[in-house]
Amino acid sequence: VKKIQIFVGTRKGAFVLRTDGTRRKWEVSGPIFLGNIVHHVIMDPRDGKNVLMAARTGHLGPTVFRSSDHGKSWKEAAKPPAFPKAKEGERGLVVDHVFWLTPGHSSERGVWYAGTSPQGIFRSEDHGNTWASVSGFNENPMREKWTGGQQDGTPDGPKMHSILVDPRDPYHLYLGMSSGGVFESMDQGKSWSPLNRGCEANFLPNPDAEFGHDPHCVRLHPMMPDRLYQQNHCGIYKMERTEGRWERIGKNMPKKVGDIGFPLVLHPRDPQTVWVFPMDGTMVWPRTSPDGKPAVFRTNNAGKTWKRQDQGLPEKNAWWTVKRQSMTVDHEKNVGVYFGTTAGEIWGSRDEGESWRCLVRNLPHIYSLEAAVTHP
Amino acid sequence: MKIFRPSPLRSYTLEKSAVEATGKDLDMLLNNLDQKYPGIRFRMIDEQDQIRTHIKIFVNREQATSLSVRLDAKDEVLIICALSGG
């Protein structure tokens, strides 16, 4: 029987939601590593059994846990992501936490990428057991300028996220940094170029800067790999890579809601369809649902128009939000869309966002959701 | 020498609160500990060989601020997680 699983990373451990193909009843298991701060848990779609988890605790340093049996049992990485040791008298970088995990190209079994706070990128070639620093970024003389240094980043530390692998070419990579912007590599990380033209950065002294932007979530559509979408600090964007310029498609969102948010997810078979979850990005950036009224917005035409999807969601007084890794989709005929909130609820839709129901409540603050399908 | 471990690290030491390891200084001691309990050092000591922010290491009740502290076989090493959290 086919099983759909959602791996959930939270501030206090990981959980797994499981259902069958009907998606009517969901069972929750966990916590896994109770008390660990889990930023990301994701199953390898290339084999449907290996799962990696980015974790740390409040006191202990960062690590990666690995499972080779769908998350039933776990082992710690023998060599977690770590920056190179600095030369005598120099100050070296220290990984505070692993924030993002990306399975590598389909032709490179066992390869994974990890993004860290502060911004660093690491590569594993053995299913996440040992990690090597991607020196083309981490030791690049421009790294400090690109990232803005330690002060520039989110309140929870600057992040490397949205590591994307071109499905046509394992050497072609993208990454997103909060802050720093979107960057691209054509040589598997040996060299990187900024890719921020057209993207606003109204918080920088030079709004037309080449880098220093704040992408929150960047996605690439596997069926149309030259189409990129981005939820940014300054709105929702789309890029045709052949043109190389971001176009702000969030301007077509309702003015009262705006186009600020963290997550953005894509329809697995339709590159024109995108879901976002807007948040309040006014004044001091409350990062809550605008006016306490949560809603998902969907476009079916690559951002020309947006439709509010809030049937079943609280109508008012819901002051939570959804973080950048906390929204995911399954691959069913009617695509299931799921999001986890900062208040520990997971909401799901079986009809592509038309209606919602709460699948689970009372989990810790949710950092990430990743859907996976297994065929035991 | 004897090392006393805080509860967040006991998953590495089969739940033992005190373990034995050897080394002429803290750096060598923690390397020896890591050989016995793989992964434990990196949770306490970062990649620049600095003691992590919320970890405190005491040698005979004196707080160590670096890994170069010399050790004697009779010394006692106490590792604690600083009070913090949320």
Side-chain angles (χ1 to χ4, degrees), chain A residues 20 26 78 140 148 183 243 246:
Chain A
D20 59 20
W26 293 82
N140 195 301
F183 282 67
E243 296 170 9
W246 294 100

Side-chain angles (χ1 to χ4, degrees), chain A residues 192-346:
Chain A
W192 295 87
S193 306
L195 192 64
N196 300 295
R197 206 154 61 89
C199 183
E200 292 177 33
N202 56 19
F203 48 89
L204 290 176
N206 174 12
D208 296 322
E210 195 181 5
F211 49 82
H213 301 68
D214 186 8
H216 288 173
C217 186
V218 190
R219 304 279 184 190
L220 166 160
H221 202 286
M223 293 171 66
M224 199 172 171
D226 284 332
R227 163 76 56 85
L228 297 164
Y229 289 99
Q230 178 186 171
Q231 173 65 72
N232 186 284
H233 182 99
C234 297
I236 306 166
Y237 293 82
K238 175 182 73 125
M239 175 189 275
E240 305 299 342
R241 182 63 196 93
T242 48
E243 296 170 9
R245 186 175 185 84
W246 294 100
E247 174 197 354
R248 189 167 180 176
I249 56 174
K251 283 188 173 164
N252 304 325
M253 289 276 288
K255 290 280 175 290
K256 208 173 169 186
V257 174
D259 65 339
I260 308 301
F262 281 129
L264 179 150
V265 292
L266 310 182
H267 191 291
R269 295 177 296 276
D270 176 11
Q272 311 301 325
T273 296
V274 177
W275 289 269
V276 294
F277 189 95
M279 67 181 182
D280 188 341
T282 60
M283 304 300 283
V284 296
W285 277 69
R287 298 176 174 81
T288 58
S289 305
D291 203 24
K293 297 172 182 170
V296 171
F297 280 76
R298 182 182 74 191
T299 177
N300 287 337
N301 48 26
K304 289 192 180 75
T305 57
W306 295 89
K307 181 184 178 188
R308 185 180 179 98
Q309 295 186 306
D310 61 358
Q311 190 186 323
L313 296 177
E315 291 178 7
K316 58 182 179 179
N317 296 327
W319 299 100
W320 34 259
T321 193
V322 177
K323 294 208 158 167
R324 71 189 79 199
Q325 289 134 302
S326 297
M327 198 169 188
T328 189
V329 294
D330 65 29
H331 287 215
E332 296 301 287
K333 187 179 173 204
N334 281 320
V335 172
V337 188
Y338 310 90
F339 65 82
T341 76
T342 50
E345 295 173 351
I346 296 176

